[in-house]
Amino acid sequence: GAAGPADAILYTHLPAATGDVKAVGFVRDCEVNRFALTGLDATATAQLATKGVIVRGAAGLPGISTPAL
């Protein structure tokens, strides 16, 4: 991608900072929800797949929420 390769997904938002910052990230062998991610494109999805990060959810479709019956 334009910002570099997709190697991991941060667990939560981090404020801008200079220097090293401790963080938690998903780096391999996990499944993530496409609709919870920002800026994900087909290239990033493919790059994450090489790390074992599976992106679930159909690209280009809105999320559907159905109430429990």
Side-chain angles (χ1 to χ4, degrees):
D7 288 325
I9 299 171
L10 283 174
Y11 178 74
T12 189
H13 169 78
L14 289 178
T18 58
D20 295 338
V21 177
K22 290 187 179 188
V24 175
F26 299 102
V27 297
R28 66 178 178 275
D29 300 331
C30 63
E31 297 180 15
V32 296
N33 180 350
R34 172 180 307 280
F35 304 111
L37 304 176
T38 302
L40 186 71
D41 59 15
T43 301
T45 301
Q47 291 170 344
L48 289 169
T50 67
K51 308 287 186 198
V53 177
I54 299 170
V55 179
R56 297 286 185 202
L61 296 177
I64 299 172
S65 176
T66 56
L69 300 176

